[in-house]
Amino acid sequence: MNISIDMKETEAGIKAKLAGEIDAYTAPKVRDELLQHAEQSGIKIVVDLSDVNYMDSTGLGVFVGLFKTLKEHNGELVLKGMSDRLKRLFDITGLAMVMDVNTEVEGGV
Protein backbone atom coordinates (compact mmCIF):
# COMPACT_ATOMS: atom_id res chain seq x y z
CA MET A 1 0.00 0.00 0.00
CA ASN A 2 1.77 3.03 -1.30
CA ILE A 3 0.88 6.46 -2.61
CA SER A 4 2.93 9.15 -4.29
CA ILE A 5 1.75 12.72 -4.45
CA ASP A 6 3.19 15.28 -6.84
CA MET A 7 1.89 18.80 -6.14
CA LYS A 8 2.49 21.82 -8.35
CA GLU A 9 1.31 25.36 -7.85
CA THR A 10 0.28 27.22 -10.98
CA GLU A 11 -1.21 30.65 -11.56
CA ALA A 12 -4.65 29.05 -11.79
CA GLY A 13 -4.36 26.89 -8.67
CA ILE A 14 -2.96 23.57 -7.54
CA LYS A 15 -2.32 20.57 -9.74
CA ALA A 16 -1.87 17.24 -7.95
CA LYS A 17 -0.92 13.90 -9.49
CA LEU A 18 -1.58 10.86 -7.34
CA ALA A 19 -0.22 7.38 -8.00
CA GLY A 20 -0.82 4.16 -6.11
CA GLU A 21 -3.60 3.19 -3.73
CA ILE A 22 -5.84 5.45 -1.66
CA ASP A 23 -7.02 3.45 1.33
CA ALA A 24 -7.18 3.64 5.12
CA TYR A 25 -3.38 3.58 5.29
CA THR A 26 -2.60 6.24 2.66
CA ALA A 27 -5.71 8.47 2.87
CA PRO A 28 -4.41 10.60 5.79
CA LYS A 29 -1.33 11.55 3.76
CA VAL A 30 -3.48 12.44 0.73
CA ARG A 31 -5.88 14.44 2.91
CA ASP A 32 -3.07 16.36 4.63
CA GLU A 33 -1.35 17.25 1.35
CA LEU A 34 -4.51 18.44 -0.39
CA LEU A 35 -6.28 20.14 2.52
CA GLN A 36 -3.35 22.43 3.27
CA HIS A 37 -4.34 24.38 0.12
CA ALA A 38 -8.13 24.06 0.30
CA GLU A 39 -8.79 26.98 2.62
CA GLN A 40 -7.34 29.53 0.20
CA SER A 41 -10.20 31.63 -1.10
CA GLY A 42 -11.25 30.77 -4.64
CA ILE A 43 -8.52 28.20 -5.30
CA LYS A 44 -8.93 25.48 -7.91
CA ILE A 45 -7.44 22.07 -7.18
CA VAL A 46 -7.13 19.63 -10.08
CA VAL A 47 -6.30 16.07 -9.08
CA ASP A 48 -5.03 13.62 -11.71
CA LEU A 49 -6.04 10.11 -10.65
CA SER A 50 -4.87 8.31 -13.81
CA ASP A 51 -2.23 6.36 -11.87
CA VAL A 52 -4.46 5.49 -8.91
CA ASN A 53 -5.23 1.78 -9.15
CA TYR A 54 -7.36 1.40 -6.02
CA MET A 55 -9.53 3.55 -3.79
CA ASP A 56 -11.73 2.51 -0.88
CA SER A 57 -14.36 4.41 1.10
CA THR A 58 -11.65 6.15 3.11
CA GLY A 59 -10.33 7.63 -0.12
CA LEU A 60 -13.81 8.74 -1.10
CA GLY A 61 -14.11 10.44 2.27
CA VAL A 62 -10.93 12.42 1.60
CA PHE A 63 -12.40 13.83 -1.60
CA VAL A 64 -15.77 14.56 0.02
CA GLY A 65 -14.01 16.50 2.79
CA LEU A 66 -11.80 18.32 0.29
CA PHE A 67 -14.82 19.18 -1.86
CA LYS A 68 -16.73 20.60 1.13
CA THR A 69 -13.76 22.66 2.34
CA LEU A 70 -13.18 24.09 -1.13
CA LYS A 71 -16.86 24.97 -1.54
CA GLU A 72 -16.84 26.78 1.83
CA HIS A 73 -14.00 28.95 0.51
CA ASN A 74 -15.44 29.46 -3.01
CA GLY A 75 -12.92 27.02 -4.44
CA GLU A 76 -13.22 24.27 -7.00
CA LEU A 77 -12.23 20.61 -7.15
CA VAL A 78 -11.68 18.80 -10.44
CA LEU A 79 -10.89 15.07 -10.54
CA LYS A 80 -9.33 13.96 -13.83
CA GLY A 81 -8.01 10.78 -15.35
CA MET A 82 -10.20 8.32 -13.48
CA SER A 83 -10.11 4.72 -14.57
CA ASP A 84 -13.46 3.17 -15.40
CA ARG A 85 -13.33 1.40 -12.05
CA LEU A 86 -12.82 4.63 -10.08
CA LYS A 87 -15.41 6.49 -12.15
CA ARG A 88 -17.90 3.73 -11.39
CA LEU A 89 -17.20 4.13 -7.66
CA PHE A 90 -18.03 7.84 -7.88
CA ASP A 91 -21.11 7.08 -10.02
CA ILE A 92 -22.47 4.43 -7.64
CA THR A 93 -22.07 6.69 -4.61
CA GLY A 94 -23.68 9.64 -6.40
CA LEU A 95 -20.55 11.77 -5.99
CA ALA A 96 -20.13 12.07 -9.77
CA MET A 97 -23.34 14.10 -9.83
CA VAL A 98 -22.01 16.77 -7.44
CA MET A 99 -18.28 16.74 -8.18
CA ASP A 100 -16.47 17.54 -11.41
CA VAL A 101 -15.17 14.09 -12.35
CA ASN A 102 -13.75 13.08 -15.69
CA THR A 103 -11.96 10.13 -17.19
CA GLU A 104 -9.89 12.46 -19.38
CA VAL A 105 -6.56 13.82 -18.17
CA GLU A 106 -6.44 16.89 -20.43
CA GLY A 107 -7.48 20.30 -19.23
CA GLY A 108 -7.51 21.57 -15.71
CA VAL A 109 -5.11 24.00 -14.16
Side-chain angles (χ1 to χ4, degrees):
M1 294 179 217
N2 206 7
I3 188 79
S4 71
I5 304 168
D6 181 28
M7 304 277 288
K8 293 182 180 164
E9 290 190 45
T10 68
E11 289 182 16
I14 302 293
K15 195 173 204 178
K17 173 130 176 97
L18 307 182
E21 299 179 354
I22 306 173
D23 56 21
Y25 178 73
T26 60
K29 181 178 178 182
V30 174
R31 181 183 57 243
D32 292 346
E33 288 289 324
L34 295 174
L35 277 178
Q36 67 180 322
H37 302 284
E39 293 183 353
Q40 296 177 38
S41 182
I43 194 159
K44 180 177 183 179
I45 298 179
V46 177
V47 182
D48 180 353
L49 298 169
S50 58
D51 291 330
V52 171
N53 51 34
Y54 175 80
M55 184 185 307
D56 67 9
S57 60
T58 314
L60 285 174
V62 167
F63 290 107
V64 169
L66 179 62
F67 177 77
K68 286 181 177 181
T69 301
L70 285 164
K71 285 297 179 193
E72 289 171 2
H73 294 91
N74 298 314
E76 181 182 357
L77 174 63
V78 178
L79 302 176
K80 299 260 182 205
M82 285 189 181
S83 66
D84 289 339
R85 184 177 180 183
L86 286 184
K87 177 73 166 67
R88 185 165 184 244
L89 185 62
F90 278 77
D91 288 340
I92 288 170
T93 58
L95 293 173
M97 296 186 69
V98 292
M99 293 183 182
D100 185 352
V101 298
N102 196 323
T103 56
E104 301 297 319
V105 179
E106 298 173 19
V109 177

